[in-house]
Amino acid sequence: MLKCSSCCGSTFYSVMYHCGFLLVLLDLSLDVVGSISQLEIDKHLELGREFLAKGQLQDALSHYHAAVEGNPNNYLTYYKRGTVYLALGKAKFALLDLDKVLELKPDFTSARLQRGNILFKQAQFDKAEVDFRDVLAAEPHNSDAYSALYKIAPAQEDLLVVDKLIRSGDYATAVQQLTRVIEVCPWSAELRQRRAECYEMLEDYVSAISDVRSTTKLQSDNTEGYLKLATLHYRLGQVEESLKEIRECLKLDPEHSKCFSFYKKIKKIAKLLADAETYESERDYIRCISSAQPVLKLEQQIVNVRFIAHHLLCKCFTGNSEQREAIKNCQEALKIRKEATVYCDSAEAYLAADMFDDAIRDFKEALEIDMSLQRAKRGLHKAQQRQKLSESRDYYKILGVPRTATKRDIIKAYRKAAQKWHPDNFQEGEEKKRAEERFIDIAAAKEVLTDDEKRAKFDQGEDPLDPESGKHQQGFNSFQEFHHFHGSPFQFKFHFN
């Protein structure tokens, strides 16, 4: 009797019996599974249709996915899923499904017309023309195919004109021509990229960004698109936006050398600028300056990034009473952008340096840009009043203190000046008379600058001790101050060692 070596000594007929039994069971199992799978497929198709009718595209897509997996040879399921992909704007995946449909059923003209339309919108004119002609070969009176085929030649001619315009450097007209083509081929990443390049040559970075962003949606894994977006935002001085886009590039490709190199640079600059802005808002001017200055060393070319640093330094040097550096940075910022707020900051720097004509000029420049800017209106009034006061007496100058001096600094300066100019220190005659006048001014300066309300008025361009203004209620009695130096209102005595 025959033996089967693979069945451990069983007879041939015994093996055949057992194997046949297993094959029957397997066949029955497949019939049962196939029957269940078809029910599930039908259920998924029905749910997909219902969700599609409701406009719930993602839900419809998930059910068509399941139906395709259950039966990968049903061309209609691929066609339905392709329709959903199109509705979601995912032309790449729609094309893959339509390719499969036509592989399974080459004479399905609706699918071929649909594929031709997608290819045309992607500006793949040669492939689109083949599909449209195949449709017309099967259906000679198909008006949709005729209409689509008629659009191909004009679009191709427009692109030839674009090539010539770009070669001649006429980017503005090239943009207009490309726009005409993009209107009929809106899914072409290549055309949007070309138009973005033209916008970039025209330094219209905002429009370039719009087109490049479209390419990142039309093309998956578009690392170059995200790098370009980061670069364009950076040129506009939008450092945080630039950082966001370069991170998208690194998500797609963590080892992308250009993206990583750019990321390291702008991450450092973004941190410095964010810190400087925080310190400026907190009036920590020294730290603001130490954060903003390195930006100018790190970035020596992109003017809009340098503008941010110069503008911050303009404000922080002013706040730190370093008027020369403040004015210098204000002017550097204005060379880049002539903005109303920057003119106001520049005017404030001039005002802090008692350069009234320059301050008045810059406040007026701000109002030329924005006539309704209240800050400029108030600043102009203050500068004009301060200029008028400077022609009489400046209490800060009388005591020799800066406008940022604290009350303690003012009292200290007052004591020193009063001790020096007290009339008792001088002999009768012109010297004593001059000392009396100076002493009265010193006492008046102390009264104004140690009183918060009076000091605020003076800083706004009013002299609260001017009897003609009618602004002050009690007035200032210089005679009393002179004769009661050791008593009220100042309660001060000299002590000599």
Side-chain angles (χ1 to χ4, degrees), residues 372-412:
S372 63
L373 188 61
Q374 292 301 312
R375 181 189 174 191
K377 290 180 179 179
R378 291 193 300 268
L380 179 60
H381 176 73
K382 179 172 70 174
Q384 290 170 335
Q385 291 294 103
R386 286 267 303 277
Q387 185 179 50
K388 182 179 177 182
L389 279 176
S390 69
E391 297 169 359
S392 54
R393 58 182 176 178
D394 185 327
Y395 295 127
Y396 290 102
K397 285 184 177 180
I398 289 169
L399 294 183
V401 295
R403 290 187 171 271
T404 55
T406 64
K407 190 174 293 188
R408 184 177 179 181
D409 293 333
I410 290 165
I411 292 173
K412 183 179 178 180

Side-chain angles (χ1 to χ4, degrees), residues 54 65 70 110 113 136 166 275 306 329 449 468 482 493:
K54 294 176 182 177
H65 280 324
S110 293
L113 179 62
L136 289 171
I166 291 175
D275 287 347
R306 291 179 65 82
N329 280 281
L449 299 183
E468 295 181 1
F482 171 69
K493 295 182 179 181

Side-chain angles (χ1 to χ4, degrees), residues 195-365:
R195 189 169 68 175
E197 290 168 0
C198 291
Y199 278 131
E200 193 173 355
M201 295 302 295
L202 295 168
E203 298 186 359
D204 183 354
Y205 300 128
V206 174
S207 297
I209 285 171
S210 177
D211 271 342
V212 177
R213 192 171 301 285
S214 294
T215 69
T216 63
K217 295 175 181 177
L218 292 167
Q219 294 177 325
S220 58
D221 300 335
N222 189 358
T223 54
E224 295 304 313
Y226 284 112
L227 176 59
K228 177 59 72 174
L229 280 176
T231 304
L232 291 169
H233 277 296
Y234 188 70
R235 286 185 182 177
L236 287 170
Q238 299 168 353
V239 182
E240 286 296 334
E241 280 297 316
S242 177
L243 190 59
K244 176 183 174 183
E245 300 298 347
I246 207 67
R247 281 174 174 155
E248 290 298 319
C249 174
L250 291 173
K251 283 181 186 177
L252 295 172
D253 182 3
E255 297 181 0
H256 195 291
S257 59
K258 290 183 179 179
C259 285
F260 186 68
S261 176
F262 193 50
Y263 169 74
K264 287 194 298 183
K265 175 182 178 180
I266 60 176
K267 182 184 178 184
K268 185 180 294 185
I269 289 175
K271 176 71 165 56
L272 288 168
L273 290 175
D275 287 347
E277 287 171 357
T278 299
Y279 292 135
E280 192 271 330
S281 67
E282 295 173 351
R283 299 186 178 183
D284 188 344
Y285 299 120
I286 294 176
R287 287 187 178 180
C288 170
I289 292 165
S290 64
S291 295
Q293 281 182 324
V295 175
L296 297 175
K297 295 180 181 178
L298 288 169
E299 183 49 73
Q300 299 185 16
Q301 294 182 334
I302 306 301
V303 293
N304 284 318
V305 176
R306 291 179 65 82
F307 166 82
I308 300 170
H310 280 304
H311 191 195
L312 283 164
L313 289 169
C314 161
K315 293 186 285 186
C316 292
F317 274 123
T318 300
N320 204 45
S321 299
E322 297 180 61
Q323 278 73 43
R324 180 178 295 180
E325 286 298 316
I327 291 168
K328 173 185 171 184
N329 280 281
C330 292
Q331 294 309 302
E332 289 297 325
L334 285 169
K335 286 179 185 176
I336 300 169
R337 293 190 206 166
K338 298 188 183 303
E339 296 181 357
T341 55
V342 185
Y343 272 116
C344 286
D345 290 325
S346 176
E348 293 290 352
Y350 280 126
L351 201 53
D354 291 338
M355 300 172 68
F356 304 115
D357 289 336
D358 295 294
I360 290 169
R361 179 200 66 217
D362 278 1
F363 278 129
K364 286 181 177 179
E365 289 287 354

